Amino acid sequence: MEVLCEASGTNACPSGGVGIYNPGYWGMNIERTKVYRATMYIRSSESVELTVSLTSSDGLQNLASHTITGDKEDFVEWTKVEFDLASSGRNTNARLQLTTTKSGIIWFDQVSLMPSDTYMGHGFRKDLASMLANLKPRFLKFPGGNYVMGNYLVNAFRWSETVGPWEERPGHFNDAWAYWTDDGLGFFEFLQLAEDLGACPLWVINDGASLNEEVPSATIAAFVKDVVNGIEFARGDPQTAWGSVRAAMGHPEPFPLFYVSIGNQECFKHYYKDNYVKFYSAIKASYPDIKIISSCDASAISPVNPADLYDVHVYTSSGDMFSKSRMFETSTRNGPKAVVSEYAVTGNDAGRGTLIAALAEAAFLIGLERNSDVVEMASCAPLFVNDNDRRWNPDAIVFNSWQHYGCPNYWMLHFFKDSSGAALHPSTIQLSNYDQLVTSAITWNNSQDGNTYLKIKVVNFGSKAVNLNISVTGLQTDIQTFGSIKTVLTSGWLRDENSFQQPDKVVPAASPITNVGEQMGVVLDSYSLTSFDLLLGSSQGLHSVSGWRLHSSM
């Protein structure tokens, strides 16, 4: 910053000084009484008198200020300066500005402003991370697909350049989605977030391929060594070379990294299978307990191309997604399980996240639930999007600097957050001339109240309401008279969406079940996802669910 005006005289600076500002990403959300940590590196050959302020976007509202002063010798070398700014007001479109009335040149580097109060104290926005935590995720896949590859390898995600002090990370251009990232959200932060969520980390590695390039097998060794080093960073003893880097970042205990995905749907690439075997062998030699996920499908996996799991991506229309509830019914029951690491309804009726898209995905997930003997895990994609930079629709959670909302598919996931570790029970549908229903039944334990519930989920993907007679047989404990809940996700139009203006337009609605019993009649709304959580007695015996009878009200 070169300042040409003076503190006084004929070339005096304006009373507020002159300088530079940064609005962050489409404005900073500054809240009243909240504290924000400012960090920057400063260098100058002259004395410094600098005001650091949080202001409105036009500079007229001053929310907080701090003055940095120093003699000529104080900033001859790069000097790190840190301080807190406590805001006296609120502004959702604020900026950080650096001003002075003193002529001269000041150099700045790594200027940062972060809220002091973040999720688990690790830098993530509390509102967004809490939305994720409320889904009870059992694993977190990172850094992502195209993001880890890049359009070209020069712009691929390099884990080793995203760890250590954040100000020393070089950053990279994310050419897959066209923005620069300083990699403050790096390999360590992904691992930390998974731990804070109580989720298993699933690391998608760069295996020497970008969207437009590929490293031949003869020269892949450096990439293989880099991946083994990355696992050492996550799991190694603090005395190891890379484990010591993690320990220096404040986490001496290893992270529980047990899943590694080799590449991102790259089985079609020329060198993938040969390179894959090299990664597989090197990882297993050092970490035999790690489960390795192949980009090839089950038919390509063999003793010479082994895998613990195989990756599946499903992007399709709502109608096709609904039909894919039967996708794994004919899969072989032997061999590696599937990881459905990316799935989403796309196309015209997906919009920016519609009811019909969410219902189709719910039917697909019920199909995965019913075939959990051959499907290990599943995750929707994409998870988050900034409303100011939508490169893909739909997404589960939308946010800007100060707001957020869940799309219908986010709220749909709440119906499945108790499925992991639950017991699946047989269920049947007996209804002719109506094929728009998909259902499953599980028993799950509520860790908060210690109660056990029989959860029956039903998707009605059709335009007709259905009268449903539920018959539950084989219970080894009674259904309780009170305490059962019915939850419904539906709306007035199948393409209804949520928004900042109407964040709760399509959200689940819960109500008590008054006619609960082993035989009970209920109504399924058209275009709806319904969950019946039936409170069971204290006995922990096995249960079976069978003999469903459905009668249409058409």
Side-chain angles (χ1 to χ4, degrees):
M1 181 172 76
E2 184 175 6
V3 180
L4 302 179
C5 59
E6 307 284 347
S8 60
T10 57
N11 191 31
C13 295
S15 59
V18 296
I20 55 180
Y21 68 82
N22 191 311
Y25 292 94
W26 303 283
M28 301 180 185
N29 179 39
I30 303 301
E31 300 181 67
R32 179 179 173 82
T33 72
K34 293 293 181 66
V35 176
Y36 302 85
R37 187 69 170 174
T39 306
M40 65 190 70
Y41 283 78
I42 298 176
R43 193 180 77 182
S44 176
S45 58
E46 304 294 333
S47 60
V48 170
E49 187 172 333
L50 180 76
T51 299
V52 181
S53 305
L54 294 176
T55 74
S56 56
S57 59
D58 57 10
L60 298 179
Q61 179 190 17
N62 191 296
L63 304 167
S65 292
H66 176 85
T67 301
I68 300 171
T69 58
D71 296 330
K72 183 176 182 179
E73 60 272 14
D74 291 338
F75 296 102
V76 173
E77 303 293 336
W78 283 110
T79 303
K80 186 177 184 179
V81 179
E82 291 185 284
F83 52 90
D84 290 333
L85 291 168
S87 178
S88 61
R90 183 172 188 267
N91 193 299
T92 61
N93 190 30
R95 71 191 194 189
L96 176 70
Q97 66 180 35
L98 314 174
T99 57
T100 184
T101 58
K102 187 179 181 302
S103 64
I105 298 176
I106 306 176
W107 294 87
F108 300 99
D109 201 0
Q110 297 296 333
V111 180
S112 171
L113 183 77
M114 289 285 285
S116 296
D117 186 21
T118 60
Y119 186 72
M120 300 287 191
H122 294 135
F124 293 92
R125 269 176 56 172
K126 272 190 168 181
D127 56 344
L128 300 184
S130 295
M131 287 193 77
L132 186 53
N134 288 341
L135 293 176
K136 299 182 182 178
R138 296 298 295 270
F139 75 97
L140 180 70
K141 175 193 172 188
F142 61 83
N146 292 359
Y147 181 69
V148 75
M149 298 175 70
N151 289 337
Y152 295 93
L153 282 171
V154 67
N155 296 320
F157 181 89
R158 307 285 189 186
W159 76 265
S160 60
E161 295 182 354
T162 73
V163 299
W166 64 268
E167 62 267 35
E168 296 178 10
R169 304 177 189 180
H172 75 283
F173 180 60
N174 171 22
D175 60 359
W177 299 108
Y179 61 83
W180 175 266
T181 171
D182 65 6
D183 286 325
L185 173 55
F187 189 46
F188 177 87
E189 287 74 23
F190 279 120
L191 289 164
Q192 183 68 74
L193 177 60
E195 180 178 84
D196 290 343
L197 293 170
C200 294
L202 191 164
W203 181 27
V204 183
I205 67 160
N206 184 288
D207 58 353
S210 68
L211 292 176
N212 295 300
E213 299 167 307
E214 189 177 7
V215 175
S217 300
T219 55
I220 198 65
F223 284 83
V224 174
K225 186 176 188 303
D226 185 63
V227 168
V228 175
N229 288 342
I231 300 173
E232 181 180 275
F233 173 87
R235 289 183 43 172
D237 187 274
Q239 278 67 51
T240 60
W242 284 105
S244 66
V245 177
R246 182 197 69 243
M249 296 181 71
H251 201 288
E253 303 83 9
F255 288 107
L257 176 61
F258 295 107
Y259 292 92
V260 172
S261 185
I262 309 298
N264 171 53
Q265 289 290 284
E266 299 161 21
C267 191
F268 67 94
K269 287 184 173 288
H270 180 71
Y271 294 107
Y272 179 79
K273 290 183 180 178
D274 288 341
N275 286 348
Y276 170 86
V277 172
K278 294 179 183 296
F279 283 98
Y280 182 95
S281 300
I283 293 171
K284 287 291 188 178
S286 299
Y287 303 94
D289 59 344
I290 283 183
K291 290 187 176 182
I292 296 179
I293 304 167
S294 170
S295 284
C296 298
D297 63 24
S299 65
I301 296 170
S302 68
V304 296
N305 188 35
D308 299 299
L309 302 157
Y310 66 96
D311 195 12
V312 177
H313 294 184
V314 180
Y315 292 104
T316 188
S317 66
S318 61
D320 190 53
M321 185 69 83
F322 178 81
S323 70
K324 279 183 166 47
S325 63
R326 299 181 292 273
M327 177 176 175
F328 290 94
E329 288 183 358
T330 58
S331 298
T332 176
R333 296 351 244 186
N334 300 314
K337 289 187 176 184
V339 175
V340 185
S341 70
E342 296 183 28
Y343 70 85
V345 168
T346 56
N348 292 335
D349 59 2
R352 291 192 165 193
T354 59
L355 170 68
I356 193 66
L359 297 180
E361 292 180 13
F364 177 67
L365 288 182
I366 285 178
L368 301 189
E369 194 170 76
R370 292 173 63 95
N371 290 277
S372 54
D373 59 324
V374 294
V375 181
E376 180 94 350
M377 55 182 82
S379 54
C380 72
L383 185 62
F384 287 101
V385 68
N386 191 310
D387 189 54
N388 295 283
D389 193 31
R390 283 181 180 263
R391 305 297 176 94
W392 182 276
N393 285 306
D395 310 89
I397 300 170
V398 183
F399 68 96
N400 58 22
S401 70
W402 62 287
Q403 296 169 296
H404 66 272
Y405 66 86
C407 292
N409 65 332
Y410 167 80
W411 293 108
M412 175 274 295
L413 290 172
H414 283 259
F415 288 73
F416 294 86
K417 64 184 181 180
D418 300 306
S419 296
S420 295
L424 179 70
H425 305 295
S427 56
T428 59
I429 298 176
Q430 299 175 353
L431 182 66
S432 59
N433 302 320
Y434 193 74
D435 59 357
Q436 301 299 299
L437 300 180
V438 177
T439 184
S440 69
I442 62 171
T443 47
W444 64 280
N445 295 310
N446 188 328
S447 59
Q448 293 183 330
D449 59 20
N451 291 328
T452 300
Y453 293 86
L454 171 64
K455 179 190 290 285
I456 300 170
K457 294 190 292 289
V458 189
V459 171
N460 182 359
F461 201 64
S463 59
K464 303 291 186 179
V466 176
N467 291 328
L468 169 68
N469 289 324
I470 296 178
S471 176
V472 181
T473 62
L475 286 178
Q476 297 183 13
T477 183
D478 294 332
I479 298 175
Q480 301 299 289
T481 305
F482 302 101
S484 295
I485 300 294
K486 172 186 175 183
T487 308
V488 182
L489 180 69
T490 191
S491 191
W493 185 44
L494 56 85
R495 294 198 182 185
D496 276 346
E497 302 178 359
N498 292 334
S499 63
F500 289 127
Q501 292 73 33
Q502 293 181 291
D504 300 326
K505 188 173 186 177
V506 187
V507 297
S511 60
I513 302 175
T514 57
N515 63 332
V516 66
E518 294 184 7
Q519 305 283 334
M520 61 183 191
V522 297
V523 177
L524 299 178
D525 296 331
S526 61
Y527 297 118
S528 66
L529 167 61
T530 305
S531 171
F532 303 94
D533 285 277
L534 309 181
L535 178 61
L536 303 179
S538 58
S539 173
Q540 298 299 312
L542 298 175
H543 316 86
S544 64
V545 180
S546 61
W548 292 49
R549 297 187 300 277
L550 294 98
H551 305 283
S552 172
S553 62
M554 302 174 194

